[in-house]
Amino acid sequence: MRLRNWLFQNFREVSQLYGFEEIDFPVLESEALFIRKAGEEIRDQLYCFEDRGNRRVALRPELTPSLARLVIQKGKSVSLPLKWFAIGQCWRYERMTRGRRREHYQWNMDIIGVPNVTAEAELISSIITFFKRIGITSSDVGFKVSSRKVLQEVLKRYSVPENLFGRVCVIIDKLEKIPIDDIKKELRSAELSEEAVEELLQILSVKSLDKLEEKLGASVEALTELKQLFSLAEKYGYSEWIQFDASIVRGLAYYTGIVFEGFDREGKLRAICGGGRYDRLLSTFGGDDLPACGFGFGDAVIIELLKERGLVPELSPQVENIVCSLDSDLQGGASLVAARLREKGKTVDLVLENKPLKWVFKRAARINAQRLIIVGSAEWQKGMVRVKILSSGEQYEIKVDELE
Ligand SMILES: Nc1ccc(Br)nc1
């Protein structure tokens, strides 16, 4: 819990550093919010059920659909751009045999109402700021960046219907996760011609913007946007963190433009975070479309990375005072001393039972108390208590009123 609080504190401080407002949504939503027909894993693993009102509901697997619903609900009552962040528990339903977690926490930052790539550049910058705060450098982690407009351009040239776009992206996202022949089979089952499949896989292997320009031509929007993003990255000073990689499409069907994911350069871990532009999501829920982009950053892989790099912080419990009485009829005195110290904002662990001093010293060490305050009858008669500084062993008597 201390490690989680430390992580979330950093999420929050970075979000506030970038001027984002915190929001939250219900963990339980209508199942319909997450029903998409693009064959996504997030759909297959939906933690859904029927509630006592016979409603189909689900524990949210991600936060973005709830954010979209909230933007629509707020409608004209909020002024754009919206810069919102949330840290929320998300769920999936997997068989326990897989031994994987069913719940995790995700930090999300989203910018609603900004159509140009300055929004994506800002989001990537915020994640890099987070990494730097916790000691992760560009030699530990990088970002693979691409745009789904690359795929869209290819599909258009092979007249693949628009409504297949999300599904094709979800299939492509499985590259390097399932055999290439299965990818080809799934693409063919999505009615892509043999030629379209080959051209698609060809373009996905492109690793430089120059090469992409050779393939697609300089005027293609995908290219101009990516060039803008890389030029902004240079101004932010984070060029060494990002690289173009056409194979990055991300596995969520609703992305429509720039997509990015944070990866560990040693290649041992799954993606650390990911996000992108989703300009068409609001209309899928009956709202008017607004330009939108955002990312999700889970609390699991980052902890594995910190462990790999020996960067997990030492977060021992810390309390300033432990207060005890030497006999049960002085328990009230101990409570009074504790109350006085707490009124002054001092943290106190009050021993609540009549325990021998040996037990108190053990507990003081376990909770890392700085000071032991003993209420004993002799001192109490004089309105005093005995104080022991646990690090130095120094001890002295002091009037209760002078305690601070
Ligand atoms: N979407 C999702 C939810 C929960 C976990 Br654990 N992983 C992914």
Side-chain angles (χ1 to χ4, degrees), residues 42 61 90-92 101-104:
I42 205 164
C90 296
W91 292 85
R92 67 179 170 195
R101 289 167 70 180
R102 283 187 171 155
E103 54 83 37
H104 74 170

Side-chain angles (χ1 to χ4, degrees), residues 13 43 45 47 51 54 73 75 94 148 157 199 206 216 287 336 344 390 397:
E13 284 170 8
R43 167 81 185 82
Q45 298 179 335
Y47 204 131
D51 75 3
N54 302 106
Q73 208 174 300
E94 281 201 327
R148 282 198 173 176
R157 292 181 184 183
E199 178 59 16
V206 172
L216 293 182
L336 180 148
K344 294 175 181 168
L390 294 166
E397 287 186 3

